[in-house]
Amino acid sequence: MKKQAWKCLSGSSLKVMAMLTMLIDHLGCYLLNDIPSMNVPLFDLWGISPTIYSLCRTIGRTAFPLYAFLLVEGFTHTRDKRKYGLNLFIFALVSEIPWNLVHSGTWLHPTQNVFFTLFLGFCGLYMLEHLKSRPLILVAGITSLLAFAWIFRADYDFIGIGVILCLYLLREHSILRLGIGVTLLRAGWRATPAFVLMEFYNGKRGFIQGRAGKYICYAFYPFHLVILWILKYHVLH
C-alpha cells in the first residue's frame, strides 16, 4: 500500500500540541480572565469581537480531544493495560491538589482534574474490550462510569467519557468521529481543529521515547498547574 505523505504527525507531535493548547487555554482561564486589558475586543468584524482571553480559550478547545485520542491510541497499543490505567490513576491523585489550588487557592475544590476523566475513560475502554460478550453488564458498567463522572464532577464530566468512547468505537470512521465528537463537546466547532489534526496522525510514536519522556509528559499537567497557581495567587495579586 502506498504511504500517505500527508500523514505527517506522530503521537509525540500530537502530545506536544495537546500540551501547548492546554497551556494556552489555562493561561486564559486562570490568569488572563482577571486582567481587564485581556478582555478588550481586538476588532469587530461581522459581529465577531475576539479578545486575547477568548482566543486563548478557543485555541484551548483543541486540547481535550487530542488527549482523548492519544488515550485511545495508548490503550490500543500498550502491552500492559493495567499498568497504563494505574499510571493514569496515580497522576489523577497527584494532580488533584494542584487542580484544587489553582481553582480556589485552597486544598479543596468540588471538581476533579482531567486525569480522573481520562482514567474513567480508560475504564470504559477496558469494559468495551472485556465485556463484549456480556452486553447487559457492559451497559451497566458504562452507565455507572458516566454517572460517577457527573456526580463527582470530573473535568468534562460524562461528556468527556462519551468522547473517549466515541473515538475508540469510530477510530476507522473519521467523518463520523468528527461529527459526533464535535456534537458531544460543548465547545462545538471550536473543537474541529483537534479532529482535523487526528487525520494527519501516522501511527508512529515519534520523538518522545522511553520512560523518562513518558513521565515528563504526564508530569507536565500537575507541574503547570502549580506554576499557574503561584502566578495567580502569589505574583499577580
Side-chain angles (χ1 to χ4, degrees):
M1 183 180 293
K2 186 177 180 181
K3 184 178 179 181
Q4 296 170 306
W6 53 274
K7 296 274 189 179
C8 56
L9 296 179
S10 66
S12 298
S13 300
L14 292 179
K15 281 182 183 178
V16 171
M17 291 179 185
M19 289 190 290
L20 286 176
T21 52
M22 177 182 67
L23 178 60
I24 291 169
D25 180 53
H26 288 174
L27 284 170
C29 180
Y30 302 126
L31 299 183
L32 302 187
N33 191 38
D34 297 326
I35 302 175
S37 61
M38 298 295 102
N39 289 275
V40 175
L42 299 171
F43 58 84
D44 184 86
L45 182 64
W46 301 315
I48 300 174
S49 305
T51 64
I52 293 177
Y53 165 77
S54 68
L55 288 175
C56 286
R57 300 310 307 276
T58 296
I59 292 170
R61 298 311 91 200
T62 296
F64 179 76
L66 285 183
Y67 275 116
F69 177 77
L70 291 167
L71 171 67
V72 170
E73 285 297 305
F75 177 86
T76 304
H77 294 103
T78 185
R79 290 174 290 182
D80 191 340
K81 288 184 170 56
R82 293 185 181 182
K83 184 178 179 182
Y84 187 58
L86 180 61
N87 284 335
L88 291 171
F89 182 67
I90 289 172
F91 274 91
L93 296 177
V94 169
S95 301
E96 193 60 15
I97 290 178
W99 170 268
N100 294 341
L101 288 173
V102 78
H103 273 84
S104 58
T106 65
W107 298 100
L108 297 174
H109 188 72
T111 64
Q112 320 307 322
N113 71 81
V114 77
F115 259 114
F116 278 112
T117 309
L118 296 175
F119 172 71
L120 293 174
F122 165 85
C123 292
L125 299 180
Y126 199 86
M127 290 179 184
L128 287 176
E129 188 175 83
H130 289 83
L131 297 175
K132 294 176 184 177
S133 60
R134 308 174 75 179
L136 291 180
I137 296 177
L138 174 60
V139 170
I142 296 296
T143 302
S144 298
L145 286 177
L146 297 174
F148 187 89
W150 180 66
I151 292 170
F152 289 93
R153 300 179 65 183
D155 199 18
Y156 290 91
D157 53 64
F158 63 91
I159 293 174
I161 312 299
V163 169
I164 292 169
L165 299 181
C166 164
L167 290 175
Y168 178 78
L169 294 171
L170 300 176
R171 55 193 184 279
E172 302 297 331
H173 305 279
S174 57
I175 300 300
L176 278 176
R177 181 173 66 187
L178 168 63
I180 295 176
V182 170
T183 300
L184 284 175
L185 288 164
R186 297 187 183 98
W189 66 268
R190 295 181 298 166
T192 303
F195 292 90
V196 173
L197 289 170
M198 293 172 198
E199 296 305 308
F200 290 87
Y201 176 58
N202 59 18
K204 298 180 180 179
R205 178 175 294 183
F207 52 87
I208 300 175
Q209 299 282 341
R211 291 165 58 89
K214 176 177 70 174
Y215 287 115
I216 286 172
C217 290
Y218 278 137
F220 177 81
Y221 182 73
F223 178 76
H224 94 282
L225 291 179
V226 170
I227 297 302
L228 289 173
W229 165 64
I230 292 172
L231 292 173
K232 180 176 182 179
Y233 291 99
H234 301 284
V235 176
L236 297 181
H237 279 70

